[in-house]
Amino acid sequence: MTPVLRAEQLSKRFGGLQAVQGVSFSVAPGEILAVIGPNGAGKTTLLNLLSGLYRPSAGRLFLGDRDVTSLSVEGRCRLGLGRAFQIVRPFPEMTVHENVTVGALFGTPGTRLHDARAQAWTLLERTGLIAHAEKAAHDLTLLQDKRLEVARALATRPRLLLLDEVMAGLRPTEAQEAVALVRSVRDSGVSVLFIEHIMPVVRDLADRVIVMDQGQVLAEGPYHDVTQDPRVVSAYLGTPLTEVT
């Protein structure tokens, strides 16, 4: 089965800083893949390489069978790569429904306004925002903002959704609601790659975990295996994780 995404030896250098070095991995259809590691490990730089915000210094990236290494952010989006950011920036004066409608119009060129609005209503229902559809985006709570960010990304009709610490700032109960939302995204047929520091979230969501350190892949595998790996314990965890609550 062809991976949804495949990275081959991706590297990124900023002057004398090697932020990402020789990173290779793939994301399977229907998979939820977590990327973890200490601050400065290169995780967000990697997501910027995947989404097209940065061009790699070396390496190649494929969406399905297509080489998208030199493709723009917009081009990757229209091939099925969506992204939700840690720091959400909706159009504050527009309504929640209008924000998601913009995503639907952007993601598929030629979409009629009527169809984009209808798609937005469906996504607001899926993401638990239907009651806030006519509310201005600047009036939302943090959890609602996070849901809106996911809804806007889903409106572009992605095959793979990138999530950059979307649980940051949420209370434990809110984080569990967000976990359920991400599961529902995968259940709808969208693969997910997410960065996260909250280990119970990683444990509950990830089918597979990649651990980065100093710009490189340190370990890869199921949650239990990587959290017991002595290299991961030394570089990131400090102690093996047997039970995380």
Side-chain angles (χ1 to χ4, degrees):
M1 185 178 297
T2 302
V4 176
L5 177 142
R6 186 172 84 256
E8 294 183 353
Q9 295 295 309
L10 280 184
S11 297
K12 181 62 178 179
R13 176 180 290 276
F14 299 98
L17 173 65
Q18 186 73 52
V20 172
Q21 183 174 355
V23 170
S24 298
F25 68 94
S26 62
V27 182
E31 182 177 31
I32 299 180
L33 174 65
V35 179
I36 66 173
N39 291 331
K43 304 182 298 297
T44 296
T45 299
L46 176 63
L47 250 63
N48 288 338
L49 290 170
L50 301 182
S51 62
L53 286 174
Y54 295 159
R55 296 293 175 89
S57 304
R60 301 170 73 192
L61 182 71
F62 296 84
L63 285 175
D65 291 324
R66 179 163 176 176
D67 188 332
V68 298
T69 308
S70 300
L71 200 62
S72 66
V73 173
E74 294 84 356
R76 295 181 196 198
C77 177
R78 288 167 180 166
L79 285 177
L81 185 64
R83 181 172 179 179
F85 290 82
Q86 177 184 1
I87 300 174
V88 299
R89 290 191 177 96
F91 301 107
E93 302 300 329
M94 295 173 65
T95 68
V96 171
H97 180 250
E98 288 168 342
N99 267 271
V100 181
T101 299
V102 169
L105 289 169
F106 177 83
T108 307
T111 299
R112 295 182 301 171
L113 181 58
H114 172 79
D115 294 333
R117 286 173 171 164
Q119 182 187 349
W121 283 116
T122 299
L123 287 169
L124 293 179
E125 184 73 49
R126 282 180 55 193
T127 54
L129 288 171
I130 196 70
H132 308 284
E134 300 303 332
K135 185 182 294 186
H138 61 66
D139 289 331
L140 297 180
T141 66
L142 178 60
L143 177 59
Q144 292 162 357
D145 266 336
K146 301 278 189 178
R147 289 179 177 272
L148 176 57
E149 183 74 0
V150 172
R152 290 200 305 170
L154 290 175
T156 66
R157 301 179 185 272
R159 291 183 291 155
L160 172 64
L161 179 61
L162 307 179
L163 302 176
D164 189 356
E165 295 194 51
V166 295
M167 311 293 177
L170 299 182
R171 297 189 294 269
T173 55
E174 293 174 331
Q176 286 307 307
E177 291 181 39
V179 165
L181 174 59
V182 175
R183 285 199 188 112
S184 75
V185 168
R186 189 266 297 279
D187 292 344
S188 72
V190 179
S191 302
V192 177
L193 185 156
F194 72 101
I195 292 175
E196 189 52 70
H197 282 292
I198 304 172
M199 295 309 292
V201 168
V202 177
R203 177 199 61 197
D204 292 346
L205 269 181
D207 298 313
R208 186 163 52 97
V209 179
I210 289 174
V211 186
M212 292 187 67
D213 185 40
Q214 299 182 16
Q216 302 180 66
V217 173
L218 182 63
E220 180 178 349
Y223 173 87
H224 176 78
D225 292 351
V226 299
T227 55
Q228 301 301 308
D229 189 312
R231 298 169 299 167
V232 177
V233 173
S234 175
Y236 182 46
L237 300 176
T239 184
L241 297 184
T242 51
E243 289 293 333
V244 182
T245 58

